[in-house]
Amino acid sequence: MELRHLRYFVALGEELNFTRAAERLHIAQPPLSQQIRQLEDELGVTLLQRNSRPVRLTEAGELLLARARSLLANFEDAVADTRRVGRGQAGRLAIGFVGSAMFAGLPDLIGSYRDACPDVELLLDEMLAAEIAEALRRRRIDVGFARPALVPEAGLAQRPILEEPYVAALPRAHPLAERDDIALAELSDDAFVLYPARPEPSVTGLIVAACQAAGFTPRLAQEVLHLQTAIGLIAAGVGVSLVPEAAARAQTGRGVAYVRLAAPAVTAPLTIAWRDEDVSPAVQRLLDLATRLGEIAPGLARRN
């Protein structure tokens, strides 16, 4: 039994006339009659009462007509869905991201992706940069947004999509809070609120390296896992830190002052990472949109 047998039978069952059914199918009547006979032989039942005018379906024919309609509709839906998944217009896409990406245009990017591919189910998972590589390897996610960049390794690809400067985040009562800009060395006596330095990569490594280049090693006040926690602790006077400029713009009015750093600037690219073998249309569509992140979210930091 083939799909054409079911299509021919549905046309005949709905028309109840061999001539009209053949015209509807754009075939001659004899081949239609032959195909229906083959279907009856395959099933071992009589589907039509041919001696009546118009042709009538037997009880078995009535049952097959209802089921065949459903089978053909499901098949057509499967074909349409398969084509949409193949074009990246449907399916699922799992995305891992560092918290700071939410201030660097990721919501705008996700919004643009939803507009372009409304039937793709997006699964979003916030994680540390060091967790993104493992999640990609284990196929828990399809794409990751990391800062700093992942440690290069075989099987994973990444590229920077934008780069922005870091600014000093200080309690409002800090003596330097009213300055337009400060040198990083001026924070040498302060304790820092930082992310865990291990596993790598970690923004803490970037901050420590910048501080050491400025002549001091930062003293740890508290380790945190999330940017919002760091901001809350800084507001409470626990310590200071460095945060991306876009995050600073989004956090005004929470008891924290954000002060530009004098040259040399401290910067870190936001990168997009994926498995280099992954050529799925859904992933490729997101990669294409990510290259235009600066256009999607105007006013963000400079692209690399």
Side-chain angles (χ1 to χ4, degrees):
M1 187 188 304
E2 299 179 12
L3 281 175
R4 73 170 184 276
H5 291 115
L6 296 181
R7 290 194 178 100
Y8 289 176
F9 177 72
V10 168
L12 182 58
E14 292 177 347
E15 298 293 343
L16 297 177
N17 181 283
F18 277 91
T19 300
R20 289 198 302 270
E23 291 173 350
R24 171 172 158 182
L25 294 166
H26 305 291
I27 62 174
Q29 183 174 328
L32 173 61
S33 298
Q34 182 182 14
Q35 295 293 322
I36 298 302
R37 285 289 186 191
Q38 288 179 0
L39 180 60
E40 288 178 319
D41 291 343
E42 176 77 18
L43 295 173
V45 299
T46 300
L47 300 173
L48 302 169
Q49 295 178 4
R50 291 173 172 78
N51 58 357
S52 65
R53 293 292 183 272
V55 172
R56 294 186 179 179
L57 298 176
T58 64
E59 184 177 359
E62 292 282 1
L63 175 64
L64 181 60
L65 177 61
R67 297 290 178 85
R69 282 170 170 160
S70 177
L71 284 169
L72 290 174
N74 287 339
F75 175 75
E76 290 167 0
D77 287 345
V79 169
D81 288 345
T82 299
R83 287 172 175 163
R84 288 167 58 235
V85 169
R87 292 192 294 263
Q89 297 173 330
R92 300 175 67 187
L93 186 65
I95 300 173
F97 62 94
V98 294
S100 64
M102 278 297 174
F103 304 103
L106 183 58
D108 301 273
L109 176 59
I110 295 302
S112 295
Y113 190 88
R114 285 190 181 279
D115 290 341
C117 307
D119 294 325
V120 175
E121 179 185 6
L122 295 180
L123 306 175
L124 303 173
D125 189 1
E126 182 178 357
M127 55 185 64
L128 298 176
E131 296 174 321
I132 287 177
E134 180 70 10
L136 285 168
R137 286 193 298 270
R138 293 184 175 276
R139 299 182 179 273
R140 285 178 45 219
I141 61 174
D142 302 300
V143 176
F145 291 86
R147 177 189 276 143
L150 303 182
V151 176
E153 64 177 272
L156 298 184
Q158 63 180 325
R159 68 167 179 250
I161 52 178
L162 62 84
E163 188 162 353
E164 61 180 319
Y166 273 57
V167 298
L170 314 175
R172 282 285 180 189
H174 195 283
L176 303 176
E178 300 300 323
R179 294 264 296 274
D180 291 332
D181 59 66
I182 60 173
L184 184 54
E186 294 182 81
L187 300 178
S188 60
D189 293 332
D190 288 280
F192 277 67
V193 177
L194 298 172
Y195 298 105
R198 295 285 186 276
E200 294 182 333
S202 169
V203 169
T204 293
L206 179 147
I207 294 174
V208 169
C211 291
Q212 289 176 339
F216 71 100
T217 297
R219 177 167 51 90
L220 179 66
Q222 180 68 46
E223 278 191 351
V224 296
L225 295 178
H226 301 288
L227 177 63
Q228 296 294 341
T229 305
I231 296 300
L233 292 177
I234 294 167
V238 172
V240 303
S241 194
L242 304 185
V243 300
E245 186 179 58
R249 288 201 300 269
Q251 299 290 331
T252 56
R254 295 192 58 193
V256 177
Y258 300 96
V259 183
R260 290 192 305 271
L261 294 173
V266 179
T267 64
L270 178 68
T271 66
I272 184 169
W274 68 99
R275 290 180 295 276
D276 58 12
E277 58 168 34
D278 197 336
V279 295
S280 73
V283 169
Q284 296 303 314
R285 191 65 176 272
L286 185 63
L287 293 176
D288 291 342
L289 283 172
T291 62
R292 300 191 298 108
L293 184 57
E295 302 168 19
I296 295 170
L300 286 173
R302 296 163 293 281
R303 277 199 283 174
N304 196 25

